[in-house]
Amino acid sequence: DTGVSQNPRHKITKRGQNVTFRCDPISEHNRLYWYRQTLGQGPEFLTYFQNEAQLEKSRLLSDRFSAERPKGSFSTLEIQRTEQGDSAMYLCASSLGHGGSYNEQFFGPGTRLTVL
Amino acid sequence: AQSVAQPEDQVNVAEGNPLTVKCTYSVSGNPYLFWYVQYPNRGLQFLLKYITGDNLVKGSYGFEAEFNKSQTSFHLKKPSALVSDSALYFCAVRDMGGTNAGKSTFGDGTTLTVKP
């Protein structure tokens, strides 16, 4: 399967712990996105990379959240000092685009985070 | 700023009947518009997009959508619904002229139920 993969698929943690999620995009895709989705809502944009550069961060992304894409391939999303309000599905998506073009995104299955 | 509204949380149709899932948007410039579908326990899948050109776009699984600039709408349609079309549908928009290189905004989703 050459789609977007995310690990782990599920994560249960205690409040105050740190968690890290990984996303492996489709190999030739240069753009990578992180979203958060809660029940009854659509995906909310968190951050976006073009190659290894993080070009935009949502105001939703507090200083407890950090994302990296060190070699322009896989990406990690870390949440420090988790809070119960961080419980959600974290989605990763990738796409291929250059300049001002904007193409459809391919989504991974998500990582479901539960903070106790 | 960009926004999307899906005015119906739920749409119910009988198998074989036409279906419409509504989406309206707001952008300051011209829009990129997308429809995605989410099946239970699966990631979002791209259905179709409008970038420019013909207002009627055709996508996967027999779906189509009509871009209406005057009404700022991009309703999803299918002439004959199948039970297997039952899923959660998301409309998404990005402003072509936006400075937000990566951010697209999703609606809150419409649950489509097709009854035999």
Side-chain angles (χ1 to χ4, degrees):
Chain A
D1 189 340
T2 57
V4 178
S5 61
Q6 292 185 247
N7 288 288
R9 294 291 304 277
H10 304 273
K11 180 69 178 179
I12 300 173
T13 191
K14 293 182 178 178
R15 189 171 47 137
Q17 298 294 306
N18 299 343
V19 295
T20 300
F21 310 142
R22 177 178 169 124
C23 171
D24 287 89
I26 293 172
S27 58
E28 62 267 28
H29 285 183
N30 59 333
R31 293 176 172 173
L32 187 146
Y33 308 79
W34 284 99
Y35 294 88
R36 181 171 65 190
Q37 186 178 21
T38 53
L39 198 62
Q41 307 259 318
E44 292 179 291
F45 172 82
L46 293 178
T47 191
Y48 154 67
F49 291 85
Q50 180 151 310
N51 301 312
E52 68 277 6
Q54 187 175 21
L55 297 185
E56 188 178 353
K57 289 173 61 173
S58 167
R59 281 173 286 183
L60 290 174
L61 216 65
S62 76
D63 55 7
R64 296 185 298 106
F65 288 70
S66 62
E68 294 183 339
R69 193 183 184 197
K71 297 183 180 179
S73 56
F74 74 91
S75 176
T76 57
L77 177 68
E78 181 182 17
I79 309 174
Q80 296 182 326
R81 305 181 303 282
T82 53
E83 301 172 356
Q84 288 182 327
D86 297 331
S87 296
M89 179 74 86
Y90 289 84
L91 301 174
C92 176
S94 68
S95 73
L96 186 62
H98 301 281
S101 71
Y102 195 81
N103 294 315
E104 62 272 22
Q105 296 170 34
F106 293 79
F107 283 81
T111 294
R112 181 168 296 284
L113 173 66
T114 302
V115 182
L116 302 175
Chain B
Q2 57 192 28
S3 65
V4 172
Q6 293 183 240
E8 301 159 317
D9 291 336
Q10 181 105 19
V11 170
N12 298 312
V13 298
E15 188 173 31
N17 283 0
L19 69 87
T20 299
V21 182
K22 295 180 181 178
C23 171
T24 58
Y25 66 90
S26 175
V27 295
S28 55
N30 290 315
Y32 291 108
L33 290 157
F34 301 83
W35 276 101
Y36 291 85
V37 59
Q38 187 172 35
Y39 297 101
N41 300 316
R42 295 180 66 179
L44 278 80
Q45 297 176 35
F46 167 75
L47 273 181
L48 50 77
K49 66 182 177 184
Y50 172 82
I51 303 297
T52 187
D54 195 346
N55 288 345
L56 184 66
V57 293
K58 295 186 183 296
S60 307
Y61 312 120
F63 284 93
E64 58 189 30
E66 185 167 13
F67 171 64
N68 187 319
K69 188 171 184 177
S70 63
Q71 297 185 4
T72 61
S73 67
F74 189 57
H75 300 332
L76 181 69
K77 299 181 180 183
K78 187 173 182 181
S80 179
L82 299 173
V83 173
S84 58
D85 293 330
S86 299
L88 183 56
Y89 290 81
F90 291 98
C91 181
V93 68
R94 179 182 173 269
D95 189 338
M96 275 191 201
T99 56
N100 299 329
K103 179 179 179 179
S104 54
T105 299
F106 284 75
D108 285 337
T110 298
T111 300
L112 172 67
T113 302
V114 181
K115 296 185 177 178

